[in-house]
Amino acid sequence: MIFPKDTREELDAFYGKHVIGADGKPTAKWEQEHLQLFKVPYPLTLSFDKTVTVTRIRCHKLVGESLIHIFEQILEHFGNLEEVKRARVHLYGGCYNFRPIKDSVRLSTHSWGAGIDLDPERNGLGKPHDPTKGMMSLDVVKIFEKEGWKWGGRFKSRPDCMHFQAAR
Ligand SMILES: [Zn+2]
């Protein structure tokens, strides 16, 4: 799929314009209209609370199918859950989260449910990609990119190797 450019205008136009409520958050109406729960093909573990297993992801309804297809391909590529875990791509750092990009006023693609973080522990924001340090698998990057997603590891200003987004 051709996803929008990573600008407020294009993201609003493609994913639904954010109307910010009095509490500074999107309205429940926006969330109801645009977000949906999607069942993932293998269980994920919350990266910030490893006692929690996640079987469904709440993301934008326009990216859910693509995301599920990506997870299917990841599972297929690694062959089984044990190998997926060895590559640490079961460690889920979150998807929908209304917030600005760190140290910026721009909204993150997470704000539209169109961004996902995997294995934040080893792929900290600002850390350039180093495959010798067990950082994001480039095979996983390839799978996301084939689906039209952009990898944060390619951000020029500041790499964000945990991050993938359905925006260019
Ligand atoms: Zn992210």
Side-chain angles (χ1 to χ4, degrees):
M1 200 195 281
I2 304 295
F3 293 119
K5 286 207 183 104
D6 186 1
T7 65
R8 178 72 188 261
E9 292 69 30
E10 286 217 16
L11 291 165
D12 267 345
F14 192 86
Y15 290 121
K17 188 169 168 53
H18 266 312
V19 180
I20 316 298
D23 59 355
K25 301 269 178 202
T27 58
K29 183 168 175 278
W30 188 92
E31 293 184 339
Q32 271 163 21
E33 276 175 12
H34 299 286
L35 301 177
Q36 212 172 293
L37 279 166
F38 288 87
K39 195 177 177 302
V40 282
Y42 61 82
L44 303 172
T45 300
L46 263 196
S47 62
F48 45 91
D49 182 356
K50 296 202 177 64
T51 64
V52 180
T53 299
V54 176
T55 56
R56 294 183 307 171
I57 286 183
R58 191 181 189 208
C59 63
H60 198 285
K61 61 184 181 185
L62 293 179
V63 308
E65 251 178 70
S66 171
L67 197 53
I68 296 317
H69 188 51
I70 286 166
F71 279 115
E72 282 168 357
Q73 288 176 81
I74 290 173
L75 183 58
E76 197 180 293
H77 173 79
F78 290 102
N80 57 57
L81 187 56
E82 283 318 298
E83 291 301 314
V84 167
K85 285 183 173 174
R86 202 189 304 272
R88 301 173 61 89
V89 269
H90 68 304
L91 295 172
Y92 174 55
C95 181
Y96 174 62
N97 186 0
F98 186 82
R99 60 174 160 83
I101 295 168
K102 197 172 182 297
D103 308 319
S104 165
V105 292
R106 275 179 59 212
L107 283 178
S108 156
T109 48
H110 287 284
S111 305
W112 286 267
I116 186 168
D117 294 333
L118 294 173
D119 190 16
E121 244 169 83
R122 291 236 182 124
N123 295 277
L125 180 62
K127 211 166 136 191
H129 189 247
D130 183 349
T132 69
K133 291 191 176 139
M135 291 179 74
M136 188 58 66
S137 155
L138 290 176
D139 292 331
V140 171
V141 171
K142 207 181 290 173
I143 291 169
F144 269 96
E145 289 183 339
K146 217 177 71 201
E147 282 288 313
W149 290 57
K150 184 167 182 173
W151 178 40
R154 300 203 196 283
F155 288 167
K156 286 181 197 84
S157 47
R158 181 177 56 183
D160 188 4
C161 294
M162 74 180 90
H163 179 87
F164 295 93
Q165 63 182 38
R168 293 175 283 141

